[in-house]
Amino acid sequence: MTTLPLYWHLSSASKNQRIDASVKLIGALEHFQAQFVPKEGSGSEDEEDEADPIDLLHAQDVSYSIRRLIRGLASPRESSRLGFAVALTELLSRLDTVTCSQILALILDATKTQGSMTGQEERDVIFARLFGLTAIIQSGLIVRTKPLPSSPSSDTSASSESSFQETISNLVALGEKKSWLRESAWWSLGLAIDALSASEVPWKLKALDSVIERVFAENSGWSPEKVAITLKLQSVVPDRDWRKYLCPAFKTPDLLANANLLTLGKVLKASSWKPQLHFVWNGPNSTVFTKGSFQEFFRVVVDETLFSSTSSQERKYSGFQVFQKALPRVTEDIMPMLFTKNFMRSWINHLSQPDRYLHKVAKQVATDITTFVQSQPQLGFSLILQLTGVNGSQQFDKLTKSKTVESILASMNGEGIKSYISHLVAQVNHSDDLDIQVTNSRRAWIIDQLWALIRNGAVPKEDDWIMTILDWLAVNGLFVVKKKSEKSPFLALRSIPSPPFSDDLRQQCRNRLLGCLADLSSQTRPWKLSDDRTIKCPAIASDGEFWVSKVIASVEKLKGETKRVDLLVETDENDSALHSSVRDNVQKLREVAGAQQEAAKGVELLLMGTLLQQYADEPTDADTATLEECLDASTRMFFGNKKKKSKKRQKEGEDAEAAPPEPVDILVDTIIGFLEKSTAYMRTVGNQVFSLIAGSVQASTVDLILTQLERRDPSELAREEESEDEEMGDADEEEASDSDSDSDVSDGVDEESEDGEVDLELRRKIEEALRVNGLDAASGDSDNDSEEDLMDDDQMLAVDEQLAQVFKMREGERKNSNVDAQREATHFKNRVLDLVDIFVKQEPASPLIVKLILPLVELSTGTSSDERHLTDKAKGILRSRIAKSKEVPSAADIEEVKSAMEKLHVRARKLHSPELLATLGQCSLFVAKILIEAGAHDVVVQSYRDSLQDFAVRKRSALNYAFIHDAIRRYPAVMWDLRQDILSLSQQAVNGYRRLQCLQLLQALITCLPSENQKDIAAFMGAFQDALVQSAMDACEEKVVLTPQQMRDVLKLGLFGVRQTQRVASAAESQKVWDSKAWEKVGKKLASSERFKASAGLHQTCQKLSEPPTQPAATKRKAASDNAGDENRPSKAKRKKTGN
């Protein structure tokens, strides 16, 4: 076994390959050394003196390896220095037959510099010496106490004081010789000191004295390397008199004392900069932590030195590296000391802009902080306090364009989140703020932070702190705190806000409360029904109660504490009675069981959500009618008795004799009203309620939803709004006419002001145009004739231009208003489509789904740019929800399904969009599935027959091959009834391409036909052959135009027909069906045709068809037939491979 190939791999650029070669080399050398037996002293004394002890005590391969590894340290090839140094270190650590002096002599001899060397060669030799000395230190050979097993001399010690001092001297000399090597040499010196302090050699103290003498006596100047060695020596020999070595450069012997920090900072800053952090920072961090002076050290040496306003970008880069090194070592008490003023300023500045020089390292610091919190979540709260504290910014994430605070919050545990909430609430009353604007700004930030905790999906949610936030927002948004209570369960009642919350802040609290509930409503939890079914219920806590119900319960409890809080909006007796009825109704709804339990849960959410919205609305916006309607509908829906109307509503409905609408229609109408609101809370509650009551939806409910999706002209909408305003104005005038004797005057004023809002604006612009031209607007006392006499022609022209501009702007405003109305209507329809999507998803087997198809198809044909998202969503519902549904609607109205089928096909024949046609094809397949399940096969066949005729005969037909082909693939047994129609229509096709497509449809129909219908194939093949022969003859006689490729496809269909016939019929029957003489005639026609006579492939294929079909008994014949069929199969995958 040889080890020579392994040395080559020691120089590999791959770290894994180098390590693998080292392991194999050391293993082989240990094996050789174990088998080696040293020779007995049989030679002369002169020969023994001249022999190298390394050769005497080691195997040949081992001694060769020692010298080879030492020489390889100077190799410049790739990573040889690293690989050889690792192997040498490991080998020296395992050999107990070498001494430090022997290896040191070999290294020094192999790394001598000569005057004839080039600069690169000299650098290689110097590095080789450094790596060799470091290998001696790291292998432990420099302080090894284990004696040699045998030695030519009487001294059996592996290490000695002289070899140690020589090693130290060479390291110091290397640092002095080359300044760029000083840091590395002194780092190795530190390794030697560590090894010496951990050893038990008898000359330990003498060696330490020599190191101290060499470091301080021969090096009077101070450098970062000397600081690092000094800190190391002080920890090893603490009882030494360090004053004579450190003073007067430093004020005290303790290098890290506060009095020495300023000088220490200057020393550390004076060193030359490089991207790698100096090894001196490994010592100060650990030492400072143990001594407890970290705060002053970091402030003076790091913050005021490396991060000062005058520091260069390079020094700040080093400062960030020091922070990264210190972060994993800090405790909760030391944490605030890291985030100093200058550091935070530099970090925020460089983190906020990607074009800053230190943006990458600043971003890496943020990543390290996030990772640190993930490993120690208990420190997350302390970190957030620093980032948003005095030296940071409350808007840290916004200012730095990062998600640092958000990520920290996501990594914190429940206790940390609670501490953060308490910290935020404690800042509501800050005694240091004298400016009310500062106070309001801070409170607004606190409200947003509480909202962010719930909005952030990555933050681990717990019911107790979520309820704490909701209660705090409810108290400050809906109530006025008069008296505090230290023991109150509500956190907001434990202190009185001073100054009180402004109206804007209270409105913000209400908005954020609704926003929190909207975010919580989007989260679902499993909820078990009374019939042991489990559903995913939205907006509920872990106990199954709705979050909004919990908030309402807190509000009701607070309303009872009149000594401590007052409700912002006082409620009258009617409202109180209505609220009480709602609560009673909710209690009854919670007792509903069985099939209606899920719908009852949805109605409960609707009632509670509407009630909370009424609390949060302004007094002028409060709508009790909606709540009353929902309450009445819920009573009729679940309990069968109609709730007694209020006096006001009873008066309005005295003349109404029509039957009341269905309860679910009233509920859905309320939900649609929610979708018109601009708040996310109302829209979210509406969607979640509808998902729960979807099982109770009726046909009238679907009609109500579809009414909202109808297309309407924006100008018509605007006219309706104007007519409603006029009706309201007329009603006001009628009321005013009955008031008193001054009604005529007031009516005149009202009429003038009724349509005067727009007119006054127009008059203002006209007056401004007149003033621009130096004219005053006409007043009631002015003389119009005199004004006209003062205007010349130029002035009149200028006025005309100004007035034309005014009227042009006015017309543009009207057009813009129409566009805005259309855009708003489109957004509303998008929200209504969410209800449709929810219904189809929740109730895929509902017969009402059929009613949705045609309106969704109508929406899919929108062409406006504003309707793009609307049409995409409608097509998505048709394709993903309806067409791909695995469940068939049960108990559907067959007549309605038939009508939908017919209208879909009529619409498909008029569309010239392949994308929309594909959507209609999928919808047609879905409707056909319903009809087939109901036994109405004839309707499906007739619809596709009409579409097939349009496709084949009409030249500008919008249908394509895929529309019919998909139906054949999906329902081949039903579509088999169309075989004669397809055959006859192929001869009536408008052109040769359509004729070929019809014949290919027959191929697909035959291929997909189920096995029970295979017996019908033989009877049909005769007619199929006639159609193929006729098509080929017509093409040869140029009655129809076919290209050679299309003619080849026709002949392939013939081969396909022959194979299919042979599968289901005997040889005699096959010969009877397929007339070989007819194909001989076709072959002659092809030979005489100017278009096809040059195509050899056509003649060969026709020759195969003219051979009588047989039923071969041999397997070889069958295999040949299969191969021929595969070659000529009319499939898209094989077309490219067929030649002419």
Side-chain angles (χ1 to χ4, degrees):
M1 178 180 178
T2 178
T3 59
L4 293 178
L6 297 176
Y7 294 101
W8 179 264
H9 297 298
L10 289 177
S11 302
S12 174
S14 172
K15 179 180 178 181
N16 293 332
Q17 195 170 3
R18 292 197 307 269
I19 293 177
D20 184 60
S22 299
V23 171
K24 292 180 179 178
L25 177 62
I26 301 304
L29 294 178
E30 281 187 315
H31 177 71
F32 294 148
Q33 185 63 22
Q35 294 180 344
F36 175 71
V37 178
K39 295 181 180 179
E40 298 294 335
S42 59
S44 63
E45 295 183 0
D46 294 338
E47 292 178 354
E48 293 182 0
D49 292 339
E50 293 177 359
D52 194 331
I54 294 180
D55 295 331
L56 294 175
L57 300 177
H58 300 88
Q60 182 178 0
D61 286 329
V62 176
S63 60
Y64 170 79
S65 295
I66 294 174
R67 294 183 175 89
R68 175 70 183 272
L69 292 175
I70 292 176
R71 290 197 308 268
L73 296 177
S75 174
R77 189 173 70 86
E78 291 186 352
S79 302
S80 60
R81 190 172 292 118
L82 297 175
F84 278 74
V86 170
L88 178 61
T89 303
E90 189 65 23
L91 181 61
L92 294 179
S93 66
R94 300 193 182 191
L95 289 178
D96 57 357
T97 54
V98 294
T99 64
C100 179
S101 58
Q102 293 172 352
I103 302 301
L104 182 60
L106 289 176
I107 293 174
L108 295 179
D109 182 65
T111 58
K112 291 180 180 179
T113 58
Q114 300 176 4
S116 60
M117 289 183 174
T118 63
Q120 180 61 43
E121 291 174 343
E122 184 180 3
R123 283 192 294 271
D124 291 339
V125 170
I126 293 176
F127 273 117
R129 177 168 293 190
L130 175 62
F131 274 76
L133 297 176
T134 306
I136 293 176
I137 297 172
Q138 290 186 324
S139 65
L141 182 60
I142 194 173
V143 289
R144 184 174 296 173
T145 57
K146 183 179 180 180
L148 299 176
S150 61
S151 175
S153 63
S154 59
D155 187 8
T156 60
S157 60
S159 60
S160 62
E161 180 185 357
S162 59
S163 60
F164 181 87
Q165 292 181 359
E166 188 175 3
T167 303
I168 297 300
S169 300
N170 279 280
L171 288 174
V172 175
L174 283 176
E176 296 297 329
K177 185 174 184 180
K178 299 293 182 180
S179 59
W180 44 267
L181 204 61
R182 180 182 178 89
E183 180 181 346
S184 300
W186 284 63
W187 177 78
S188 298
L189 177 61
L191 294 180
I193 296 174
D194 291 337
L196 181 62
S197 64
S199 67
E200 299 295 336
V201 292
W203 40 268
K204 178 177 180 179
L205 295 179
K206 293 182 180 180
L208 287 173
D209 291 338
S210 64
V211 171
I212 295 174
E213 186 68 22
R214 190 64 190 264
V215 170
F216 292 98
E218 301 181 10
N219 293 274
S220 59
W222 281 91
S223 64
E225 295 81 16
K226 189 174 180 179
V227 170
I229 297 301
T230 302
L231 290 173
K232 194 179 292 292
L233 288 173
Q234 284 184 336
S235 62
V236 174
V237 192
D239 55 348
R240 185 64 58 93
D241 183 15
W242 292 102
R243 182 177 297 275
K244 66 178 182 179
Y245 299 112
L246 272 66
C247 299
F250 294 91
K251 296 181 180 180
T252 62
D254 185 3
L255 193 61
L256 298 177
N258 294 343
N260 296 333
L261 292 180
L262 188 60
T263 305
L264 181 61
K266 293 179 181 179
V267 172
L268 297 178
K269 188 177 180 181
S271 61
S272 58
W273 181 86
K274 59 181 181 179
Q276 293 79 21
L277 190 64
H278 199 285
F279 76 92
V280 67
W281 295 103
N282 295 328
N285 283 331
S286 57
T287 307
V288 169
F289 292 157
T290 57
K291 293 188 177 181
S293 58
F294 178 76
Q295 181 176 6
E296 282 300 310
F297 171 80
F298 197 86
R299 182 184 65 82
V300 177
V301 179
V302 180
D303 191 63
E304 296 180 357
T305 303
L306 300 180
F307 288 109
S308 66
S309 58
T310 59
S311 294
S312 63
Q313 303 293 344
E314 293 79 7
R315 297 302 172 191
K316 291 180 180 178
Y317 182 84
S318 299
F320 285 127
Q321 291 179 309
V322 173
F323 177 88
Q324 290 177 290
K325 190 173 288 291
L327 181 63
R329 307 183 183 185
V330 297
T331 60
E332 189 171 1
D333 298 333
I334 302 177
M335 177 74 69
M337 304 175 187
L338 279 180
F339 297 87
T340 50
K341 181 179 180 180
N342 293 333
F343 163 75
M344 290 297 295
R345 185 192 70 248
S346 299
W347 185 35
I348 292 175
N349 288 340
H350 290 281
L351 187 61
S352 59
Q353 298 295 334
D355 57 347
R356 298 290 176 88
Y357 290 113
L358 303 180
H359 176 72
K360 288 186 178 180
V361 68
K363 193 174 181 180
Q364 184 60 44
V365 169
T367 303
D368 291 347
I369 290 176
T370 304
T371 306
F372 173 71
V373 177
Q374 291 175 354
S375 61
Q376 301 187 46
Q378 70 277 7
L379 298 181
F381 176 59
S382 300
L383 271 172
I384 290 182
L385 292 185
Q386 302 309 314
L387 300 185
T388 60
V390 178
N391 295 330
S393 173
Q394 292 180 346
Q395 306 291 338
F396 184 87
D397 281 357
K398 182 178 180 181
L399 189 62
T400 59
K401 301 180 182 64
S402 66
K403 295 184 178 181
T404 307
V405 174
E406 186 176 342
S407 301
I408 293 174
L409 287 173
S411 303
M412 291 169 58
N413 52 22
E415 293 300 323
I417 297 293
K418 294 176 185 177
S419 301
Y420 181 55
I421 294 174
S422 302
H423 167 71
L424 291 175
V425 174
Q427 295 186 63
V428 171
N429 297 328
H430 203 284
S431 58
D432 296 340
D433 293 337
L434 300 178
D435 190 353
I436 187 64
Q437 294 182 354
V438 176
T439 302
N440 290 339
S441 177
R442 186 183 66 256
R443 289 176 175 178
W445 173 79
I446 293 172
I447 295 171
D448 287 338
Q449 290 301 303
L450 294 175
W451 176 48
L453 286 174
I454 294 181
R455 182 183 56 182
N456 189 349
V459 176
K461 301 294 188 297
E462 294 183 4
D463 288 3
D464 50 354
W465 67 258
I466 291 177
M467 203 62 222
T468 300
I469 293 177
L470 296 178
D471 288 342
W472 189 89
L473 293 173
V475 171
N476 292 290
L478 304 176
F479 295 89
V480 177
V481 181
K482 300 186 298 184
K483 183 179 180 181
K484 69 177 182 179
S485 174
E486 296 290 346
K487 298 181 180 180
S488 175
F490 298 99
L491 189 60
L493 293 184
R494 297 176 186 176
S495 62
I496 301 177
S498 178
F501 275 60
S502 63
D503 292 339
D504 291 339
L505 289 176
R506 295 189 188 279
Q507 182 63 44
Q508 185 182 4
C509 286
R510 293 193 292 270
N511 293 338
R512 294 305 185 222
L513 173 63
L514 299 180
C516 289
L517 292 173
D519 293 325
L520 292 172
S521 297
S522 61
Q523 303 171 9
T524 59
R525 291 177 182 265
W527 184 58
K528 192 173 183 179
L529 301 175
S530 58
D531 54 358
D532 293 335
R533 287 189 301 120
T534 301
I535 63 172
K536 290 184 177 181
C537 188
I540 61 172
S542 58
D543 58 356
E545 186 179 2
F546 286 115
W547 288 111
V548 64
S549 299
K550 290 179 175 291
V551 174
I552 292 295
S554 298
V555 171
E556 296 299 331
K557 185 176 181 180
L558 287 167
K559 287 170 64 177
E561 299 186 10
T562 55
K563 294 182 179 181
R564 294 185 174 88
V565 293
D566 283 336
L567 194 64
L568 281 176
V569 180
E570 295 294 337
T571 56
D572 55 18
E573 295 181 359
N574 293 333
D575 290 342
S576 299
L578 178 61
H579 297 173
S580 178
S581 300
V582 169
R583 292 192 297 272
D584 294 341
N585 193 277
V586 167
Q587 287 298 123
K588 295 179 181 179
L589 289 173
R590 292 174 179 173
E591 299 174 359
V592 174
Q596 286 189 316
Q597 187 176 8
E598 186 176 355
K601 196 74 173 176
V603 176
E604 177 189 349
L605 177 59
L606 179 62
L607 290 174
M608 286 300 184
T610 308
L611 179 58
L612 182 61
Q613 182 64 44
Q614 186 174 346
Y615 277 120
D617 282 340
E618 297 292 336
T620 56
D621 298 333
D623 184 14
T624 58
T626 300
L627 189 57
E628 291 180 1
E629 290 175 353
C630 293
L631 186 60
D632 175 52
S634 66
T635 304
R636 292 194 292 118
M637 183 174 181
F638 295 101
F639 310 116
N641 56 339
K642 188 175 180 180
K643 177 183 174 294
K644 186 178 180 181
K645 295 183 178 180
S646 63
K647 294 182 179 180
K648 181 178 179 181
R649 294 186 58 79
Q650 187 176 1
K651 182 179 180 181
E652 293 175 353
E654 285 180 354
D655 299 331
E657 297 180 357
E662 293 293 334
V664 68
D665 293 354
I666 297 176
L667 299 177
V668 173
D669 186 59
T670 302
I671 293 172
I672 293 174
F674 286 177
L675 299 182
E676 294 178 347
K677 305 291 184 180
S678 59
T679 60
Y681 167 73
M682 300 300 289
R683 294 197 298 269
T684 305
V685 169
N687 288 333
Q688 301 298 351
V689 170
F690 188 79
S691 67
L692 292 171
I693 66 173
S696 303
V697 167
Q698 301 180 8
S700 58
T701 314
V702 174
D703 293 336
L704 176 63
I705 295 175
L706 294 178
T707 303
Q708 316 302 319
L709 299 175
E710 294 177 354
R711 292 183 181 274
R712 305 184 70 181
D713 188 7
S715 58
E716 181 183 350
L717 293 174
R719 285 196 299 271
E720 288 185 1
E721 292 179 357
E722 292 177 359
S723 63
E724 291 177 359
D725 294 340
E726 290 176 359
E727 291 175 0
M728 293 179 63
D730 293 340
D732 294 339
E733 290 175 2
E734 291 176 1
E735 292 178 2
S737 63
D738 299 333
S739 59
D740 51 23
S741 59
D742 295 334
S743 60
D744 293 338
V745 178
S746 62
D747 287 346
V749 175
D750 291 340
E751 289 175 0
E752 186 176 354
S753 61
E754 183 65 29
D755 53 351
E757 182 178 355
V758 177
D759 291 343
L760 288 176
E761 179 66 19
L762 182 60
R763 175 177 293 181
R764 185 188 63 79
K765 293 182 178 180
I766 293 175
E767 290 176 353
E768 183 178 355
L770 294 175
R771 282 195 297 271
V772 168
N773 292 275
L775 300 175
D776 294 332
S779 61
D781 299 334
S782 64
D783 188 0
N784 294 336
D785 294 336
S786 63
E787 290 290 341
E788 292 178 1
D789 292 340
L790 293 175
M791 296 175 62
D792 56 16
D793 293 341
D794 294 337
Q795 289 177 324
M796 290 293 291
L797 290 175
V799 171
D800 288 342
E801 293 177 359
Q802 294 287 337
L803 293 178
Q805 185 68 22
V806 169
F807 288 119
K808 186 177 181 180
M809 292 174 60
R810 186 64 177 166
E811 184 64 23
E813 291 176 358
R814 292 180 179 177
K815 292 181 180 179
N816 290 334
S817 63
N818 290 340
V819 173
D820 293 339
Q822 176 66 32
R823 185 175 293 111
E824 191 62 32
T826 302
H827 293 332
F828 171 68
K829 290 180 181 179
N830 266 316
R831 299 164 191 161
V832 175
L833 274 183
D834 290 336
L835 300 183
V836 176
D837 190 23
I838 292 171
F839 176 70
V840 176
K841 181 181 178 182
Q842 296 290 110
E843 302 293 330
S846 173
L848 301 176
I849 291 181
V850 179
K851 298 173 69 67
L852 300 172
I853 296 177
L854 293 176
L856 290 176
V857 170
E858 181 69 24
L859 278 180
S860 300
T861 58
T863 57
S864 171
S865 59
D866 292 336
E867 294 181 345
R868 180 62 183 271
H869 186 263
L870 183 68
T871 57
D872 290 344
K873 182 179 286 188
K875 286 186 286 188
I877 295 174
L878 288 172
R879 290 177 178 178
S880 303
R881 294 291 187 202
I882 296 179
K884 293 184 178 181
S885 176
K886 296 181 179 179
E887 300 186 39
V888 180
S890 58
D893 186 356
I894 298 301
E895 294 301 324
E896 186 177 14
V897 179
K898 290 179 181 179
S899 176
M901 188 70 172
E902 294 172 358
K903 291 179 180 179
L904 281 174
H905 281 254
V906 171
R907 190 64 182 269
R909 297 166 203 157
K910 299 178 181 179
L911 282 179
H912 290 277
S913 171
E915 183 182 5
L916 289 175
L917 186 60
T919 303
L920 288 179
Q922 293 177 357
C923 295
S924 176
L925 295 176
F926 174 77
V927 176
K929 186 177 182 181
I930 302 176
L931 291 171
I932 293 173
E933 291 288 337
H937 302 74
D938 54 339
V939 179
V940 178
V941 173
Q942 184 60 41
S943 297
Y944 278 98
R945 179 181 290 117
D946 296 339
S947 296
L948 180 63
Q949 182 174 4
D950 182 87
F951 167 70
V953 177
R954 193 163 66 92
K955 185 176 182 180
R956 297 182 59 83
S957 176
L959 297 174
N960 55 22
Y961 173 82
F963 187 85
I964 310 295
H965 183 259
D966 290 344
I968 291 176
R969 291 180 55 191
R970 185 73 65 87
Y971 311 114
V974 176
M975 301 299 289
W976 180 246
D977 294 343
L978 288 176
R979 60 188 184 279
Q980 294 296 339
D981 299 276
I982 299 175
L983 200 62
S984 61
L985 287 173
S986 67
Q987 305 304 312
Q988 305 172 20
V990 67
N991 53 40
Y993 180 64
R994 292 282 176 88
R995 176 181 290 196
L996 176 61
Q997 286 185 320
C998 289
L999 295 174
Q1000 288 175 338
L1001 286 175
L1002 287 173
Q1003 178 193 14
L1005 185 59
I1006 295 172
T1007 303
C1008 301
L1009 195 64
S1011 57
E1012 59 267 17
N1013 299 102
Q1014 294 290 328
K1015 61 181 181 297
D1016 299 333
I1017 293 179
F1020 175 69
M1021 280 303 174
F1024 183 51
Q1025 177 192 227
D1026 294 341
L1028 294 176
V1029 170
Q1030 185 63 41
S1031 299
M1033 298 292 286
D1034 290 345
C1036 294
E1037 296 173 358
E1038 296 187 356
K1039 293 181 181 180
V1040 64
V1041 178
L1042 288 178
T1043 64
Q1045 178 63 42
Q1046 291 171 345
M1047 176 62 78
R1048 185 178 296 108
D1049 291 337
V1050 171
L1051 298 181
K1052 287 180 181 179
L1053 291 176
L1055 293 175
F1056 163 78
V1058 172
R1059 290 195 303 271
Q1060 293 295 327
T1061 306
Q1062 291 174 343
R1063 287 176 55 191
V1064 298
S1066 63
E1069 292 176 346
S1070 299
Q1071 293 178 1
K1072 184 178 180 180
V1073 171
W1074 290 93
D1075 186 6
S1076 58
K1077 295 182 179 180
W1079 290 107
E1080 291 178 358
K1081 295 180 181 179
V1082 173
K1084 294 178 180 179
K1085 284 287 185 180
L1086 288 174
S1088 61
S1089 173
E1090 293 294 333
R1091 177 172 296 182
F1092 304 117
K1093 66 180 181 180
S1095 179
L1098 294 179
H1099 298 297
Q1100 293 176 1
T1101 306
C1102 190
Q1103 180 65 31
K1104 293 179 182 179
L1105 289 171
S1106 62
E1107 297 174 359
T1110 58
Q1111 189 70 26
T1115 307
K1116 181 176 180 181
R1117 176 67 178 170
K1118 184 176 184 299
S1121 176
D1122 291 342
N1123 293 335
D1126 292 341
E1127 180 182 358
N1128 296 281
R1129 186 182 303 276
S1131 62
K1132 295 181 179 179
K1134 295 293 184 180
R1135 276 181 188 171
K1136 296 181 179 179
K1137 296 184 180 180
T1138 57
N1140 294 328

